[in-house]
Amino acid sequence: MQHFFSVPVGLLYSRSYFPEDSRQAVISLVEDVRVAFINILADAPWMDEETRKKAISKAEHIIAHVGYPSELYQNVTFEEFYKDLEMDPDNFFNNSMQFNLFINTHYLNELRKPVNRAGWQELLTLDPTEANAFYDPSSNTMQFPIAILHELFFSKDRPQYINYASLGNTVGHEITHGFDDNGRKYDLYGNLVNWWNVDTKRKFSDQTECFIDQYSEYTDPKTNLTVDGDNTLNENLADNGGTRAAYHAYLNWLKRNGDERLVPGVKYNQKQLFWISYAQAESSVDGRDHIAYLIENDSHSPNELRVLGVVSNLQEFANDFNCPVGSKMNPEKKCRVW
Ligand SMILES: [Zn+2]
């Protein structure tokens, strides 16, 4: 029901509370993370050149909807789209029926027509109030609803290490979903096409085994339940590749802009603050039963283990905090695909 007019209502909100300069700042952050991810693809030593080229092209073709597709900010009106839909202020049930009829007729009429991946009509059921982000493998697009472009995740007027560590990490996570064990099966337009060299595909699978083993070793301290490394594989791949991309995007930002000012009285440098901000953005307080439910049912690892799993795989983290080789956060064996 909340989806009745989610795009027009969300757009009104967006136009009032998400100024265009903020939107442009998010768009450039997305592009920075995309470039960092493409560099990861360019450097992956286990890929053959043909598959690498296709992977890079796929990453370049991901369409990112920041808030809404750009066309909606250029004064598109909804009159034409909704002209056949009749609403009655006194009949909620009938409105619901009318709306379902309208929307299903719309989708039926789209059958066999070319898909406009960049179009706002692809987002008709997107809930603008959900602080989440999505990657859709069958269109090779990412959606960042308005609700995740605020507060904890992004503000254009604060240190960039926070923005890259929180929203940047989310962007990297969604990009990496295009290259997890499900997303990798789709091509740059979202078609289910095998573009992988057989040998490279085998190496990909071999390296994912490392993640399955790593996360299967984790036991949540509150519930004593063990993480299912198979079930959480794709989210773990997205976390690991995404954070690496976000961190390198931030390093590139530093190269272009120079060091940011530090927080007075805080002894950490910019890179350390990136990691601390990342862990903070991923933090939550969950009850025992909720964690137990998540471990049994959710495709993500519990939040605390998401962070520990990622940073213990990233040499960059160990370097920034001088973790001795062989310590918990700098194990000799690290898992890596992206
Ligand atoms: Zn995910």
Side-chain angles (χ1 to χ4, degrees):
M1 291 302 153
Q2 72 272 31
H3 298 312
F4 262 26
F5 295 102
S6 61
V7 174
V9 172
L11 186 68
L12 283 177
Y13 176 84
S14 175
R15 282 177 172 161
S16 301
Y17 295 100
F18 188 49
E20 186 58 21
D21 56 348
S22 286
R23 186 166 170 270
Q24 290 306 325
V26 173
I27 289 171
S28 55
L29 180 146
V30 170
E31 292 314 311
D32 280 357
V33 178
R34 186 201 303 267
V35 167
F37 188 80
I38 288 171
N39 289 338
I40 291 171
L41 294 174
D43 289 343
W46 50 275
M47 291 188 102
D48 69 284
E49 292 313 311
E50 195 58 29
T51 308
R52 187 195 314 283
K53 241 203 278 174
K54 289 178 179 159
I56 290 175
S57 176
K58 178 171 178 178
E60 287 168 345
H61 276 79
I62 299 174
I63 291 175
H65 295 307
V66 172
Y68 287 106
S70 298
E71 61 177 324
L72 284 191
Y73 293 91
Q74 289 141 21
N75 285 323
V76 167
T77 67
F78 295 103
E79 307 295 333
E80 176 64 23
F81 183 75
Y82 287 110
K83 73 177 184 326
D84 294 332
L85 175 62
E86 282 186 26
M87 291 276 117
D88 169 1
D90 299 319
N91 197 334
F92 181 74
F93 179 75
N94 199 41
N95 286 345
S96 176
M97 300 280 283
Q98 288 295 324
F99 193 84
N100 280 339
L101 182 67
F102 169 78
I103 223 73
N104 286 319
T105 308
H106 166 73
Y107 284 130
L108 283 172
N109 288 336
E110 292 296 298
L111 188 65
R112 315 231 183 278
K113 285 187 193 161
V115 175
N116 174 13
R117 295 189 307 130
W120 69 269
Q121 292 170 17
E122 292 298 301
L123 305 182
L124 282 173
T125 54
L126 186 75
D127 179 357
T129 63
E130 192 175 349
N132 207 339
F134 308 95
Y135 172 79
D136 174 18
S138 64
S139 60
N140 197 27
T141 58
M142 302 186 282
Q143 286 99 43
F144 301 100
I146 298 295
I148 202 173
L149 306 174
H150 290 281
E151 307 283 336
L152 177 67
F153 287 95
F154 184 81
S155 162
K156 71 176 179 49
D157 303 315
R158 69 181 186 190
Q160 293 299 325
Y161 49 75
I162 308 180
N163 287 334
Y164 281 79
S166 42
L167 186 60
N169 178 58
T170 305
V171 172
H173 177 102
E174 301 309 330
I175 292 175
T176 312
H177 270 316
F179 302 85
D180 70 20
D181 199 33
N182 178 48
R184 65 163 192 82
K185 295 171 183 159
Y186 298 79
D187 73 3
L188 69 172
Y189 300 118
N191 296 320
L192 196 56
V193 170
N194 180 19
W195 47 275
W196 288 71
N197 165 291
V198 177
D199 194 42
T200 300
K201 156 72 185 63
R202 188 182 48 73
K203 288 177 186 158
F204 173 91
S205 298
D206 288 350
Q207 289 172 130
T208 61
E209 290 294 323
C210 181
F211 286 97
I212 294 172
D213 294 344
Q214 178 194 1
Y215 283 80
S216 299
E217 292 280 304
Y218 288 145
T219 300
D220 169 66
K222 256 191 194 163
T223 57
N224 236 2
L225 291 172
T226 303
V227 174
D228 182 334
D230 277 301
N231 190 33
T232 56
L233 174 65
N234 285 332
E235 294 300 335
N236 297 333
L237 290 176
D239 282 346
N240 279 267
T243 307
R244 188 190 307 277
Y247 178 78
H248 286 279
Y250 178 57
L251 293 191
N252 291 337
W253 187 94
L254 282 178
K255 266 188 220 151
R256 291 197 310 269
N257 297 280
D259 274 349
E260 299 182 89
R261 284 165 61 181
L262 293 171
V263 184
V266 172
K267 62 181 175 156
Y268 300 109
N269 65 32
Q270 289 84 358
K271 293 177 194 169
Q272 291 170 326
L273 287 166
F274 171 95
W275 297 114
I276 293 166
S277 304
Y278 157 63
Q280 278 180 340
E282 293 283 313
S283 294
S284 63
V285 177
D286 298 300
R288 198 184 164 283
D289 289 348
H290 185 61
I291 297 178
Y293 174 83
L294 292 178
I295 290 178
E296 304 272 345
N297 297 286
D298 197 79
S299 55
H300 304 82
S301 304
N303 285 346
E304 184 180 344
L305 300 172
R306 286 178 79 169
V307 173
L308 296 179
V310 166
V311 295
S312 63
N313 281 330
L314 287 171
Q315 189 59 47
E316 292 89 334
F317 174 84
N319 296 345
D320 289 345
F321 280 99
N322 293 317
C323 305
V325 178
S327 62
K328 190 178 170 200
M329 288 298 119
N330 189 12
E332 281 183 38
K333 185 185 173 190
K334 294 182 168 61
C335 299
R336 177 168 183 177
V337 174
W338 305 119

